[in-house]
Amino acid sequence: MHEPGPPRTTSVGEPVELAPRSPDPDGTYRWTVRDAPADSDLSPGDGPDPNATGPPSSATAVGSDSPTAVLRAGETSRDDDPVVHLDPDAPGTYVLALDAPDGTHRQRVRVFPDERRETEIRVPVDDLARDETDPDRVSLLWHLNENRLALDRAERDGDEWVASVRVPPGSHGFGFVPDGDRSAAVHGECEVPGPGRPRLSLDATVVGADEPGDDGESDRLRLTAAVEPAPAVDDIERGGDPDALDATFLVDDRDADPETVAAVESRADGRTLTVPLDELPDSVRIHAVPHGERYGAGETVRIEAVDGGASAAITDPNPTPEWAESPTIYEVFVRSFAGDTLPTTFREIERRVEYLDHLGVDALWLTPVLASPTDHGYHVTDYYETAADLGSREAFESLVDACHGAGIRVIFDLVINHTSRDHPAFQLHSAGVDAYVDHYRRTDAARDVTGIDWSELGDGDAPDYYFEWGRIPNLNYDSPAVREWLLDVVDEWAGVVDGFRADVAWGVPHGFWKEVADRVPDDVLLLDETLPHDPFYGEGEFHRHYDTSLYETLRAVGAGEEPADAVETALARGEWLGFDDPASQMRYVENHDEDRYLAAHGRAALRAAAAVTFTLPGAPMIYAGQERGNETYRGPIRWHDGDNALTDFHRRLAALRDAEPLLRDGEVSFDGRATDARVVEGDAERVVAYERTPPADGAESEDADRDPLLVVVNFAEAPATVAVPDGVETDLFAGDEERIGASDDEAEDVETRIVVDAAAVLR
């Protein structure tokens, strides 16, 4: 019951958190090292160091003198070690034992070589001076230190502020923040040369005993890992070396004894694992991890014996719900949805379900609906009660039922990285009540930037939070009591709603999300907020991910900072990061945390950007008001004075996507007919074309015979006339009336010309 979960993978210098599942706050736990690489400082029999703390992320300061330990105890007041943090110091396999109330469990961690490079980030002193006064301190703020202000400090070096760090390859956005004032931050990109992550897709089949390679005894399971290198995105983010690629197969230690695990894994031959069925347990999960110059996110299959072991059933242990393969998602900022006169309640949202149905929405994502002292709801004060101003739980469930009646699923905003400081748990914790002493993370007051006087608190006793979010202290996942509490919250709402959007998913440990994914029903969608997006949250955790790469590119195209064909680079960057399936992304142009695209870039660019999100693989998302012409990011929806034509534009996008399977699950190509598309009149820099073709693995599906679709999108204010060399029968989106055919007397073929206002989808 308390087994710690699947085998884990990481690299040297990238800590990983290990914890028991179904934690019992009253139980006793103890971690011990069973085995470690020869070059590690860890030895068999070692336990965690209770006094050392390590870096919170893979980005650490060069020459840092912070106390570290390869295995450190979680930060709690307990004498035992329910949760530990492994900060590996050598590549290889670490084997740990967890002594728990229900017995001893094994946990393996496969560690790959250090991926980090030493680099310096430099910003001129004058850029950070305010009123001709230099700041007293400058903090480095970025996702590689979990957005913790004052954790990593820059040093003055002549006319520059300098931060010396070790970080993995890539282009990493950063901020240099003077004196804790994020509004005065200087932002830039830290570019570290190197390859992207490899991507893996896993094929599992049962092969007969009479096939080549037969051992003459039984049918066999054959796992084949197709490993692809990262594409080259630019001079910094280069592609991986195909010749260095391999795959490692790991049998889940929860499903077999160590001897069976070793026997099965020994049958691996490069990227293929072949095992006689009679040598497998009745039910076993096998993980495959790609690696080369770097390692990538793994995939998992479950194999279960059928007919007494004569055959096997092969399944995905964390499948994407069928309804969530490619839904149109509609985000509602709940307290502004009813407009500028009525207060929003669950009843008022329910009265507008017919509108959502008319728009073509498949899933309704509601920003937090739980008790909170704020309008936005992200400062939760009670996880079990809905906000009084929105209505009762019964009213909320009535809304859910109304959505279900219209064929619309409901996504619940799950806020469990932090609570409001007004939550009773934080008040009891702060008052020193024993049962709550470990509920929240603590840090040194020197890292605080809120201006709150912590003088009465001892060293290390200040509340921990991200950015300057002093009103929402971070929960402590090193505490079994916290894990038990929040798993109960997930259970409470999983039976009511259809999915969870995880707020600040990057702040909650991977191990906890893996437990949530195994715990919720198979038809519950898990959507992460990870900024920037990270493929490892798809490793047995989340089904769909914020696509920050496309979001940032659409913003740059709208601003005229990038050409429209930068959309191709955005998709390639997702692959460079290590995402194997482009359909796993949630595509969006704005949300409740961002400025409205219309206000920043205009109506023409908004229509084009929306068209891109609806004609690429993944889940397109409309932020309520986007389709009505809203220009304030959390303002009331423009019901009475909204842009009906823009609304109809979004409705037609949703309807076309619903009608054309290739827009949902087809491949994307910027070659062939897309390359041949030529702008005859208009701004070629503002036009992008791509083709949607049948899926490569869909040879036997009904999509295999469908004609490819050519998508042409125009971000310019003025229409563009685009020549398409191949004959086109119809424009599925704009209608034939906007297409004009012209014959080129010197060409063998008839040239078809399309007048593209915002978008055309051609067959």
Side-chain angles (χ1 to χ4, degrees):
M1 182 176 80
H2 298 298
E3 75 281 351
R8 304 291 293 276
T9 57
T10 188
S11 59
V12 170
E14 184 179 355
V16 61
E17 170 252 24
L18 307 173
R21 292 196 168 188
S22 301
D24 177 4
D26 297 323
T28 300
Y29 302 86
R30 182 69 65 186
W31 288 89
T32 309
V33 175
R34 287 267 182 91
D35 196 12
D39 293 335
S40 173
D41 286 343
L42 282 183
S43 300
D46 286 351
D49 185 339
N51 299 314
T53 59
S57 65
S58 58
T60 56
V62 174
S64 171
D65 58 1
S66 341
T68 62
V70 181
L71 185 66
R72 52 192 169 89
E75 297 181 14
T76 70
S77 60
R78 297 173 60 128
D79 293 330
D80 60 349
D81 307 303
V83 179
V84 294
H85 300 262
L86 177 68
D87 194 355
D89 58 346
T93 299
Y94 295 74
V95 183
L96 294 90
L98 171 65
D99 291 325
D102 63 334
T104 300
H105 306 282
R106 190 168 84 140
Q107 172 76 74
R108 286 184 299 160
V109 182
R110 176 71 167 85
V111 177
F112 295 95
D114 197 336
E115 300 182 346
R116 300 168 300 171
R117 276 79 162 157
E118 292 190 4
T119 190
E120 289 184 337
I121 306 174
R122 293 179 173 268
V123 171
V125 167
D126 290 345
D127 289 359
L128 287 161
R130 294 182 294 176
D131 299 326
E132 300 182 357
T133 302
D134 290 341
D136 293 328
R137 66 178 188 270
V138 173
S139 300
L140 171 62
L141 181 71
W142 57 354
H143 73 98
L144 292 168
N145 63 9
E146 293 189 329
N147 298 301
R148 294 175 185 273
L149 273 169
L151 179 65
D152 295 318
R153 297 282 176 80
E155 300 292 336
R156 180 76 178 262
D157 181 17
D159 293 333
E160 295 178 308
W161 286 96
V162 182
S164 299
V165 292
R166 293 191 297 268
V167 294
S171 184
H172 308 290
F174 71 87
F176 266 25
V177 183
D179 295 327
D181 182 1
R182 194 153 61 106
S183 67
V186 172
H187 298 279
E189 293 287 327
C190 171
E191 296 183 333
V192 181
R197 296 193 184 278
R199 293 160 291 134
L200 178 145
S201 58
L202 189 59
D203 179 67
T205 58
V206 174
V207 297
D210 57 349
E211 294 197 12
D214 169 37
D215 59 10
E217 295 181 0
S218 70
D219 289 353
R220 291 157 291 149
L221 169 74
R222 178 171 295 160
L223 299 182
T224 304
V227 185
E228 295 184 54
V233 176
D234 53 34
D235 292 338
I236 296 296
E237 298 173 340
R238 66 177 177 83
D241 180 4
D243 295 332
L245 297 179
D246 206 346
T248 292
F249 294 93
L250 297 170
V251 176
D252 202 305
D253 294 294
R254 296 171 292 176
D255 301 331
D257 59 70
E259 293 75 18
T260 301
V261 167
V264 172
E265 292 177 355
S266 70
R267 288 185 170 273
D269 182 10
R271 303 180 201 177
T272 303
L273 173 66
T274 306
V275 188
L277 293 182
D278 57 13
E279 294 184 13
L280 290 171
D282 289 342
S283 179
V284 62
R285 287 158 287 193
I286 301 179
H287 312 263
V289 183
H291 53 90
E293 297 172 89
R294 301 178 71 186
Y295 79 106
E299 285 197 15
T300 304
V301 293
R302 184 193 299 274
I303 297 91
E304 295 183 287
V306 176
D307 297 333
S311 187
I314 301 167
T315 59
D316 180 351
N318 297 108
T320 299
E322 185 176 352
W323 69 265
E325 291 287 351
S326 185
T328 294
I329 299 173
Y330 189 83
E331 181 199 358
V332 163
F333 187 79
V334 292
R335 287 179 174 82
S336 65
F337 189 61
D340 59 3
T341 304
L342 291 171
T344 299
T345 62
F346 296 133
R347 174 57 181 155
E348 290 302 325
I349 299 174
E350 183 176 335
R351 279 156 43 87
R352 290 157 179 79
V353 168
E354 188 173 356
Y355 168 76
L356 303 179
D357 188 29
H358 171 76
L359 192 60
V361 169
D362 299 308
L364 172 64
W365 157 24
L366 298 164
T367 54
V369 299
L370 298 177
S372 172
T374 63
D375 285 343
H376 55 69
Y378 287 97
H379 298 188
V380 177
T381 55
D382 192 326
Y383 283 110
Y384 301 97
E385 292 292 337
T386 55
D389 63 312
L390 296 176
S392 66
R393 176 162 176 161
E394 290 74 20
F396 175 69
E397 294 186 8
S398 176
L399 166 60
V400 173
D401 289 342
C403 287
H404 289 171
I408 298 171
R409 306 286 180 144
V410 177
I411 300 173
F412 183 96
D413 214 322
L414 184 67
V415 186
I416 58 172
N417 168 77
H418 54 261
T419 71
S420 168
R421 68 182 185 188
D422 294 322
H423 195 293
F426 183 70
Q427 295 171 343
L428 296 172
H429 161 83
S430 299
V433 176
D434 289 344
Y436 295 87
V437 68
D438 294 328
H439 269 50
Y440 292 82
R441 292 167 69 172
R442 311 299 287 192
T443 190
D444 293 331
R447 294 177 179 172
D448 177 72
V449 297
T450 62
I452 298 172
D453 183 5
W454 302 109
S455 60
E456 297 298 320
L457 299 177
D459 292 341
D461 283 342
D464 179 74
Y465 50 84
Y466 298 127
F467 300 106
E468 71 284 5
W469 296 346
R471 294 178 181 273
I472 43 175
N474 291 327
L475 287 157
N476 180 18
Y477 280 85
D478 287 352
S479 165
V482 168
R483 299 176 89 101
E484 181 189 50
W485 172 29
L486 297 172
L487 287 169
D488 185 65
V489 169
V490 170
D491 291 344
E492 177 75 14
W493 295 103
V496 177
V497 298
D498 306 290
F500 293 109
R501 176 262 184 188
D503 181 64
V504 194
W506 48 267
V508 176
H510 280 286
F512 186 83
W513 289 130
K514 293 180 191 296
E515 184 170 3
V516 168
D518 286 344
R519 193 180 187 100
V520 299
D522 285 345
D523 61 348
V524 170
L525 168 70
L526 296 176
L527 164 67
D528 67 37
E529 181 198 29
T530 51
L531 310 172
H533 61 326
D534 181 339
F536 292 103
Y537 287 89
E539 196 177 57
E541 299 176 31
F542 291 91
H543 307 111
R544 294 291 173 266
H545 320 279
Y546 270 52
D547 184 1
T548 55
S549 294
L550 181 66
Y551 165 78
E552 291 168 358
T553 294
L554 292 176
R555 290 272 168 164
V557 173
E561 298 167 356
E562 296 277 357
D565 61 11
V567 169
E568 179 180 6
T569 303
L571 267 63
R573 179 161 287 111
E575 294 179 351
W576 189 93
L577 290 169
F579 286 99
D580 179 59
D581 180 10
S584 68
Q585 306 298 330
M586 184 183 76
R587 318 283 190 183
Y588 62 102
V589 301
E590 60 189 30
N591 61 42
H592 67 278
D593 286 325
E594 312 293 348
D595 291 336
R596 291 286 189 177
Y597 197 99
L598 175 65
H601 308 303
R603 190 175 187 274
L606 170 61
R607 296 208 308 162
V612 169
T613 65
F614 273 87
T615 55
L616 288 177
M621 192 272 279
I622 302 170
Y623 174 41
Q626 170 183 321
E627 82 287 9
R628 297 296 297 158
N630 270 48
E631 297 193 45
T632 55
Y633 84 122
R634 292 181 181 177
I637 305 302
R638 295 179 56 192
W639 290 115
H640 69 281
D641 62 347
D643 187 335
N644 285 348
L646 188 60
T647 305
D648 185 62
F649 181 84
H650 283 80
R651 184 191 61 77
R652 290 190 296 122
L653 283 173
L656 180 60
R657 185 180 180 86
D658 183 62
E660 293 295 329
L662 287 187
L663 292 180
R664 301 192 302 273
D665 55 23
E667 305 284 339
V668 182
S669 172
F670 291 85
D671 299 326
R673 288 202 304 167
T675 300
D676 294 337
R678 175 172 54 89
V679 177
V680 178
E681 295 180 14
D683 187 348
E685 290 287 297
R686 305 292 284 169
V687 177
V688 62
Y690 43 90
E691 199 166 27
R692 300 302 307 275
T693 58
D697 59 354
E700 299 180 0
S701 73
E702 62 181 20
D703 293 340
D705 296 330
R706 292 183 180 272
D707 293 329
L709 301 177
L710 179 62
V711 180
V712 184
V713 180
N714 175 26
F715 283 80
E717 292 283 348
T721 301
V722 180
V724 183
D726 296 324
V728 173
E729 295 181 1
T730 185
D731 182 345
L732 300 174
F733 185 64
D736 288 346
E737 68 278 3
E738 297 202 26
R739 179 172 62 83
I740 53 175
S743 177
D744 185 339
D745 294 337
E746 298 181 1
E748 295 181 2
D749 300 323
V750 173
E751 181 181 78
T752 301
R753 293 185 177 182
I754 307 296
V755 177
V756 182
D757 184 6
V761 179
L762 313 172
R763 172 173 287 151

